[in-house]
Amino acid sequence: MFLSMTGFGSKSYEFSWGTVTFEITSVNHKYQDFSARLPRELSSLENRIINILRSSIGRGKVKLSADIAWNPGARIPLLDEEGLMNLFTQIRKIAKRNNLDTPNDVTPLLAVPGVYDSNSSIAEQAAHDTPEIWDGIISGAVESLMEMKKSEGEKLKAKIEEDLHLLDNIIKTLKERWAVASSEALESLRTRIEQVMEHYTLEIDAQRVAQEVALMSDKWDVSEEITRLEAHSEKFRQVMNAKEASGKGKRLDFLVQEMNREVNTMGAKVNDASFRWGVVEAKTCIERMREQLQNIE
């Protein structure tokens, strides 16, 4: 299974006082980078939310935001009439006992904390008292995000599979061309050595010529690079088709780097025009795969 690092998910839940909606966005990032933007009433949930995100998402830059759509009248402050009158009565008693002017107006007392009780405190209380409800809402938003990540990941996988199939064909062509080009290069080297020795009227030592040709052939030989490139391609396909998704992007990115290393080495060793053009095609194909893998979790 492939998971893209790009995705969006959301989940809403209706309370008696309003509807809370969580939205999650995810984009490319080399490591885990999580952040949450919450209204004041839900700020106590931040650590809980980050922990859920860390346990559910491998890597990426993930942002979660929450909004509250309050029901009509839910944010109108409620007057604690009984508390206000108790406070007013106490103040009057104190004033009489100390021969002070007895207040007859409760208006100044409306500024005392607690006299007005905002319904927003209900949301704060819900965030504090019922964490299991919020776990379910947040997990629902994560599930919504993961569905999109899976869908995007399958599209990326299909594209990478196309390039991997093309790369396999290029490797096959390079292998076939090398079988011909190596013989041509060795024969050309042998001929040049003999021509130089004849030009300078040097005695041709067939054994010495054979030794020089053998040494040069070792420097030119790319059979090991081709074998390793085939092995990397096969391992890439195994990892790509594995069921688990965690860490797949990093492992595939490492294999792509190794593929590119082998192709570069072959290009530096071989001078055959057809072979070098195949190397260019292989590098182009690998680069396309690398770009796609940058978005795989």
Side-chain angles (χ1 to χ4, degrees):
M1 181 176 64
F2 260 34
L3 290 177
S4 169
M5 279 193 283
T6 302
F8 172 83
S10 66
K11 181 69 175 180
S12 297
Y13 191 89
E14 293 185 4
F15 293 90
S16 60
W17 37 265
T19 300
V20 179
T21 299
F22 287 95
E23 293 185 348
I24 307 177
T25 60
S26 175
V27 296
N28 298 8
H29 197 274
K30 192 173 183 180
Y31 306 107
Q32 286 186 332
D33 184 0
F34 301 133
S35 61
R37 181 184 62 81
L38 305 173
R40 177 183 57 80
E41 294 84 358
L42 306 180
S43 59
S44 63
L45 295 171
E46 182 171 353
N47 288 337
R48 195 177 194 92
I49 289 172
I50 296 298
N51 289 334
I52 292 175
L53 295 180
R54 289 190 184 282
S55 64
S56 305
I57 301 172
R59 62 173 179 156
K61 188 177 183 65
V62 180
K63 295 182 179 180
L64 179 142
S65 62
D67 288 302
I68 301 175
W70 298 92
N71 289 338
R75 302 204 74 178
I76 298 176
L78 300 178
L79 179 63
D80 184 1
E81 184 175 349
E82 183 178 353
L84 174 63
M85 294 312 299
N86 286 336
L87 178 62
F88 182 64
T89 300
Q90 292 180 41
I91 292 175
R92 285 176 61 86
K93 288 180 179 179
I94 293 173
K96 289 180 179 180
R97 190 162 54 245
N98 293 279
N99 296 320
L100 300 175
D101 293 337
T102 304
N104 295 312
D105 187 4
V106 298
T107 301
L109 300 181
L110 296 178
V112 176
V115 171
Y116 274 118
D117 185 16
S118 172
N119 273 350
S120 63
S121 63
I122 299 177
E124 295 180 27
Q125 195 67 31
H128 183 271
D129 294 343
T130 56
E132 65 282 355
I133 293 179
W134 301 98
D135 288 353
I137 303 171
I138 298 161
S139 296
V142 171
E143 288 177 8
S144 176
L145 170 70
M146 297 302 287
E147 285 300 316
M148 185 171 180
K149 285 163 69 72
K150 290 177 184 177
S151 176
E152 293 296 316
E154 288 305 309
K155 294 177 183 177
L156 291 172
K157 181 181 179 182
K159 179 60 180 174
I160 293 173
E161 283 179 330
E162 291 179 10
D163 285 323
L164 184 60
H165 179 70
L166 178 59
L167 179 62
D168 287 339
N169 290 335
I170 294 173
I171 295 172
K172 182 179 179 181
T173 301
L174 288 173
K175 191 173 184 179
E176 293 172 351
R177 179 56 193 166
W178 170 242
V180 176
S182 59
S183 298
E184 292 177 350
L186 292 176
E187 185 58 34
S188 175
L189 176 61
R190 183 189 302 274
T191 301
R192 288 199 302 272
I193 292 174
E194 291 176 349
Q195 288 174 346
V196 169
M197 297 184 75
E198 288 177 359
H199 178 75
Y200 290 102
T201 63
L202 300 174
E203 182 180 351
I204 298 177
D205 184 343
Q207 185 176 357
R208 179 61 177 171
V209 171
Q211 289 177 349
E212 291 298 325
V213 171
L215 289 172
M216 293 303 297
S217 67
D218 286 340
K219 294 181 179 179
W220 292 343
D221 186 45
V222 294
S223 56
E224 291 185 6
E225 284 79 5
I226 292 175
T227 299
R228 286 195 293 268
L229 186 57
E230 289 176 324
H232 292 330
S233 177
E234 179 60 28
K235 184 62 177 179
F236 187 100
R237 184 172 277 103
Q238 292 175 4
V239 174
M240 182 174 63
N241 293 325
K243 292 183 179 180
E244 71 276 3
S246 178
K248 186 174 289 187
K250 288 185 177 180
R251 284 179 287 168
L252 293 177
D253 187 60
F254 170 76
L255 287 171
V256 162
Q257 292 180 39
E258 293 303 304
M259 289 179 184
N260 196 55
R261 190 195 311 276
E262 302 298 345
V263 170
N264 284 334
T265 301
M266 289 191 291
K269 283 186 174 183
V270 181
N271 290 323
D272 179 75
S274 296
F275 190 93
R276 291 176 70 87
W277 179 247
V279 166
V280 171
E281 290 183 321
K283 291 180 67 174
T284 302
C285 188
I286 291 172
E287 179 60 22
R288 285 200 303 267
M289 293 168 60
R290 189 195 65 79
E291 289 178 356
Q292 296 294 340
L293 286 172
Q294 299 308 303
N295 197 36
I296 296 298
E297 181 182 313

